[in-house]
Short mmCIF file of all heavy atoms in Angstrom, two decimals:
data_model
loop_
_atom_site.label_atom_id
_atom_site.label_comp_id
_atom_site.label_asym_id
_atom_site.label_seq_id
_atom_site.Cartn_x
_atom_site.Cartn_y
_atom_site.Cartn_z
N LEU A 127 -86.38 70.92 -76.16
CA LEU A 127 -87.54 71.80 -76.18
C LEU A 127 -87.21 73.10 -76.88
O LEU A 127 -86.12 73.72 -76.60
CB LEU A 127 -88.02 72.06 -74.79
CG LEU A 127 -89.00 71.04 -74.17
CD1 LEU A 127 -89.29 71.43 -72.73
CD2 LEU A 127 -90.28 70.95 -75.02
N PHE A 133 -91.10 76.27 -82.57
CA PHE A 133 -91.76 74.99 -82.71
C PHE A 133 -92.87 75.07 -83.68
O PHE A 133 -92.99 74.30 -84.63
CB PHE A 133 -92.23 74.51 -81.33
CG PHE A 133 -92.80 73.12 -81.33
CD1 PHE A 133 -92.01 72.04 -81.61
CD2 PHE A 133 -94.13 72.95 -81.04
CE1 PHE A 133 -92.58 70.72 -81.65
CE2 PHE A 133 -94.72 71.67 -81.07
CZ PHE A 133 -93.94 70.58 -81.33
N PHE A 142 -90.79 68.10 -88.30
CA PHE A 142 -91.01 67.74 -86.92
C PHE A 142 -89.67 67.74 -86.20
O PHE A 142 -88.78 66.97 -86.59
CB PHE A 142 -91.73 66.41 -86.73
CG PHE A 142 -92.26 66.32 -85.31
CD1 PHE A 142 -93.48 66.82 -85.00
CD2 PHE A 142 -91.47 65.76 -84.31
CE1 PHE A 142 -93.96 66.78 -83.68
CE2 PHE A 142 -91.87 65.73 -83.00
CZ PHE A 142 -93.14 66.25 -82.68
N GLU A 159 -88.47 65.69 -70.08
CA GLU A 159 -88.47 66.41 -71.35
C GLU A 159 -88.40 65.46 -72.51
O GLU A 159 -87.94 64.32 -72.34
CB GLU A 159 -87.28 67.39 -71.33
CG GLU A 159 -85.98 66.73 -70.99
CD GLU A 159 -84.88 67.73 -70.67
OE1 GLU A 159 -84.72 68.68 -71.47
OE2 GLU A 159 -84.19 67.53 -69.67
N PRO A 160 -88.82 65.91 -73.68
CA PRO A 160 -88.84 65.01 -74.83
C PRO A 160 -87.45 64.61 -75.27
O PRO A 160 -86.60 65.48 -75.58
CB PRO A 160 -89.57 65.79 -75.90
CG PRO A 160 -89.48 67.23 -75.51
CD PRO A 160 -89.34 67.26 -74.02
N ASP A 161 -87.16 63.31 -75.30
CA ASP A 161 -85.87 62.86 -75.84
C ASP A 161 -86.13 62.15 -77.13
O ASP A 161 -87.23 62.13 -77.64
CB ASP A 161 -85.21 61.84 -74.81
CG ASP A 161 -85.89 60.46 -74.83
OD1 ASP A 161 -87.11 60.42 -75.06
OD2 ASP A 161 -85.15 59.48 -74.58
N HIS A 164 -89.07 59.47 -77.20
CA HIS A 164 -90.40 60.05 -77.19
C HIS A 164 -90.78 60.64 -78.53
O HIS A 164 -91.86 60.37 -79.03
CB HIS A 164 -90.44 61.16 -76.12
CG HIS A 164 -91.63 62.06 -76.17
ND1 HIS A 164 -92.88 61.68 -75.62
CD2 HIS A 164 -91.88 63.25 -76.77
CE1 HIS A 164 -93.78 62.62 -75.85
NE2 HIS A 164 -93.19 63.54 -76.56
N ASP A 165 -89.85 61.40 -79.13
CA ASP A 165 -90.18 62.06 -80.38
C ASP A 165 -90.23 61.08 -81.59
O ASP A 165 -91.22 61.06 -82.36
CB ASP A 165 -89.10 63.13 -80.69
CG ASP A 165 -89.29 64.36 -79.81
OD1 ASP A 165 -90.41 64.64 -79.38
OD2 ASP A 165 -88.29 65.09 -79.62
N GLY A 168 -92.83 58.05 -80.63
CA GLY A 168 -94.18 58.48 -80.31
C GLY A 168 -94.81 59.50 -81.32
O GLY A 168 -95.95 59.34 -81.70
N HIS A 169 -94.00 60.49 -81.72
CA HIS A 169 -94.57 61.61 -82.50
C HIS A 169 -94.52 61.32 -84.05
O HIS A 169 -95.35 61.79 -84.77
CB HIS A 169 -93.82 62.89 -82.25
CG HIS A 169 -94.32 63.61 -81.06
ND1 HIS A 169 -95.59 64.16 -80.93
CD2 HIS A 169 -93.73 63.85 -79.84
CE1 HIS A 169 -95.70 64.72 -79.76
NE2 HIS A 169 -94.62 64.55 -79.08
N TYR A 207 -102.63 70.84 -78.02
CA TYR A 207 -101.57 69.93 -78.36
C TYR A 207 -101.48 68.81 -77.33
O TYR A 207 -101.40 67.60 -77.68
CB TYR A 207 -100.27 70.70 -78.46
CG TYR A 207 -99.05 69.98 -78.97
CD1 TYR A 207 -98.77 69.94 -80.32
CD2 TYR A 207 -98.14 69.34 -78.12
CE1 TYR A 207 -97.69 69.31 -80.82
CE2 TYR A 207 -97.07 68.68 -78.60
CZ TYR A 207 -96.81 68.68 -79.97
OH TYR A 207 -95.65 68.06 -80.48
N TRP A 208 -101.58 69.22 -76.09
CA TRP A 208 -101.41 68.25 -74.96
C TRP A 208 -102.49 67.14 -75.03
O TRP A 208 -102.20 65.95 -74.99
CB TRP A 208 -101.51 68.98 -73.66
CG TRP A 208 -101.16 68.14 -72.45
CD1 TRP A 208 -102.04 67.50 -71.64
CD2 TRP A 208 -99.83 67.84 -71.99
NE1 TRP A 208 -101.34 66.78 -70.67
CE2 TRP A 208 -99.97 67.01 -70.87
CE3 TRP A 208 -98.53 68.19 -72.38
CZ2 TRP A 208 -98.89 66.50 -70.14
CZ3 TRP A 208 -97.46 67.71 -71.65
CH2 TRP A 208 -97.65 66.86 -70.55
N VAL A 211 -102.28 65.64 -79.61
CA VAL A 211 -100.99 65.11 -80.10
C VAL A 211 -100.24 64.32 -79.07
O VAL A 211 -99.58 63.31 -79.33
CB VAL A 211 -100.13 66.26 -80.64
CG1 VAL A 211 -98.77 65.75 -81.21
CG2 VAL A 211 -100.89 67.07 -81.72
N GLU A 212 -100.31 64.78 -77.78
CA GLU A 212 -99.54 64.10 -76.74
C GLU A 212 -100.34 63.00 -76.03
O GLU A 212 -99.85 61.91 -75.82
CB GLU A 212 -99.07 65.12 -75.71
CG GLU A 212 -98.02 66.13 -76.16
CD GLU A 212 -96.66 65.50 -76.44
OE1 GLU A 212 -96.46 64.26 -76.33
OE2 GLU A 212 -95.75 66.24 -76.82
N PHE A 213 -101.61 63.30 -75.67
CA PHE A 213 -102.35 62.36 -74.84
C PHE A 213 -103.74 62.04 -75.38
O PHE A 213 -104.68 61.79 -74.65
CB PHE A 213 -102.47 62.89 -73.39
CG PHE A 213 -101.13 62.85 -72.70
CD1 PHE A 213 -100.28 63.95 -72.67
CD2 PHE A 213 -100.65 61.68 -72.08
CE1 PHE A 213 -99.03 63.95 -72.07
CE2 PHE A 213 -99.37 61.63 -71.49
CZ PHE A 213 -98.57 62.77 -71.49
N ALA A 227 -98.64 60.75 -78.56
CA ALA A 227 -97.24 60.32 -78.42
C ALA A 227 -96.77 60.20 -77.01
O ALA A 227 -95.99 59.37 -76.61
CB ALA A 227 -96.32 61.38 -79.13
N GLY A 228 -97.35 61.04 -76.13
CA GLY A 228 -96.95 61.01 -74.70
C GLY A 228 -97.39 59.67 -74.07
O GLY A 228 -96.74 59.11 -73.19
N SER A 231 -95.33 56.52 -75.88
CA SER A 231 -93.92 56.35 -75.56
C SER A 231 -93.74 56.04 -74.06
O SER A 231 -92.64 55.98 -73.58
CB SER A 231 -93.13 57.61 -75.90
OG SER A 231 -93.72 58.72 -75.30
FE1 LIG B 425 -94.05 65.36 -77.26
#
Side-chain angles (χ1 to χ4, degrees):
L127 273 177
F133 185 64
F142 195 86
E159 50 192 313
D161 75 328
H164 167 82
D165 286 333
H169 277 293
Y207 188 87
W208 188 263
V211 181
E212 292 292 2
F213 289 95
S231 56

